[in-house]
Amino acid sequence: MQTQVVTLKQRPQGLPNSEHFELQSQSLPELADGQLLVKNLWMSVDPYMRGRMIDRKSYIAPFAIGEALEGGAIGEVIASNHSDFAVGDKVSSMLGWRNHFISDGEGLTKVPETGLPLQYFLGIMGMPGMTAWVGLNKIAELKAGDTVFVSAASGAVGSAVCQIAKLQGATVIGSTGSADKVELLKSLGVDKVINYKQVEDLNVALGEAAPNGIDVYFENVGGEHLEAALNHMNDYGRIALCGMIAHYNAMEPQAGPTNLANLIIKKLKIEGFIVFDHWQHYGEFAAQMGQWLAEGKVKSEETVYQGLENAAEAFIGLFSGKNTGKMLVQLNP
Amino acid sequence: MQTQVVTLKQRPQGLPNSEHFELQSQSLPELADGQLLVKNLWMSVDPYMRGRMIDRKSYIAPFAIGEALEGGAIGEVIASNHSDFAVGDKVSSMLGWRNHFISDGEGLTKVPETGLPLQYFLGIMGMPGMTAWVGLNKIAELKAGDTVFVSAASGAVGSAVCQIAKLQGATVIGSTGSADKVELLKSLGVDKVINYKQVEDLNVALGEAAPNGIDVYFENVGGEHLEAALNHMNDYGRIALCGMIAHYNAMEPQAGPTNLANLIIKKLKIEGFIVFDHWQHYGEFAAQMGQWLAEGKVKSEETVYQGLENAAEAFIGLFSGKNTGKMLVQLNP
């Protein structure tokens, strides 16, 4: 059969655009014994994918030119010669950016029957939600009563951080980039919201929003946000370093914050982390998050593009804040 | 009686010089009941004191203009109306920068009879030695087999870090700024030494010295050293942030490293610390260090200036690397 995949046509310098991607037709062979055929229903686009477009050593291999891109996806088994998978099973994989794929089952996980929408397993119940929970609990050692500052607070990870931190007894300050997103965050219970595109001086605005200082900073952005946070951290503050989206498309190395001396003066800890290193805690996270969702205490925010032909646009949109919450592409709709 | 003190005459902008200090005469009253008179024998000058010359909020109050400076000192009780202290007792205090002082005993610690030279309690057995041990063990979680990089490796803290790390089974790379200091570090067993003033590119030199990467960076310097270390850290590396002497005299904010993204890519931890927060471990440290010194496994390196009138010069000399090991001033010689 014929299917479609999105390949990396050339490595972006700076902001990616449609020229860097190519939608290609691909033929899939007949299923062999022990194989199954999956039709993808949802795929994820995430800021970290920008890093894989650079040819460098990192925690995950770079994408190859001319090859299909990869990323989180949820699909349905539509044919199976594999004893562990039946037609109709829903499976998650890292084989997004394509409409169908053949698998021998390796790297596939069956999505449990929870009654939750399938795409939650790419968002609030999946990698972004788990990233928020790990960053707060395993890296930043969140305590009830802490003041938490979150950058990119309306993104997939950020909106989960805000809600989890509130549920764990923190005061939450979020930074985001539009009036709509400010309203969204307020509706999620965020105590104070900064529209960083509207304020004259982020450092001053953060000082006003956090008159008693910040205990935990959940860092998704870098640059000016990190510098402002360092100025307002309390002694023994913890910074969970999840991402630095402000730097991902930089054409040249960008100077770091000028105020790193605060790390010593205030005895701060900064720790970079990758959620996959903490996947052994997924069960604990999923039980807690599943309960919160069932009780209506956490809301999943989503922005959905339709069709594989719009996947590149969805990805590119991440860098101009086109998403509120989790950015998703619905496939084979 | 009359004594002498060194006061802060004006706050330095940039590098301190003799104009910022003043040697003043001071009269001490008769001893009241419950008081004792101490003649200082040794005083410490340390890079952290530069921070106290700035009028800002920090972990320790700034020095006041026109008041005697403060810092670690060891002295001898020469008169006592205090039941806990006898004439001849040796005491350590934070009342350096003066020849004599009167005390009610608060903040004084008797120096134990160990047979070790008194001034060791300002150096290898005191704050700098403890800083090295805490940074390696409590902050950087040093393991045998780790590769440790140390900046300002021939300083009071750095030379202790090098020796402790070697004794705990690490490979040690030190950076220092003169040929003499390179030789000293080699004599202390440091595996590879970089003269950062002689190499064309510190980043390249560090890559050559650490072909298998760095697991622990003990940071005393900041600036170019931090940037180079970030490039060569291994995954899950730990950076103990003790000081950033390269920044202490900066007239303007200095840009931070351009490669902080390594914190995420390599899942690094950076943690600033102040030794006083860990003082509850002093007994454990002192027992271990005392044994190493008794067995000849650790050497104390010292640079000694004579007389309170030269204390400011000793302090200023820290910022041009005039010291090898602990910088001390002998008082009332």
Side-chain angles (χ1 to χ4, degrees), chain B residues 122-160:
Chain B
L122 295 176
I124 192 75
M125 282 290 285
M127 191 266 283
M130 175 73 175
T131 298
W133 183 86
V134 164
L136 286 173
N137 289 291
K138 303 298 175 185
I139 306 296
E141 301 162 68
L142 179 68
K143 297 186 302 289
D146 279 347
T147 295
V148 177
F149 176 47
V150 190
S151 55
S154 60
V157 173
S159 60

Side-chain angles (χ1 to χ4, degrees), chain B residues 199-231:
Chain B
V199 298
E200 214 162 286
D201 184 328
L202 179 61
N203 183 50
V204 171
L206 183 56
E208 288 167 0
N212 300 316
I214 298 163
D215 304 297
V216 168
Y217 175 40
F218 197 106
E219 167 66 301
N220 293 307
V221 168
E224 196 190 2
H225 276 83
L226 179 56
E227 181 135 3
L230 286 169
N231 285 335

Side-chain angles (χ1 to χ4, degrees), chain A residues 236 254 256-257 267-268 270 272 277, chain B residues 236 256-258 267-268 270 272 277:
Chain A
Y236 308 104
Q254 298 195 292
K267 298 149 282 192
L268 306 179
I270 301 192
D277 285 343
Chain B
Y236 309 103
T258 61
K267 299 149 281 192
L268 306 179
I270 300 192
D277 285 343

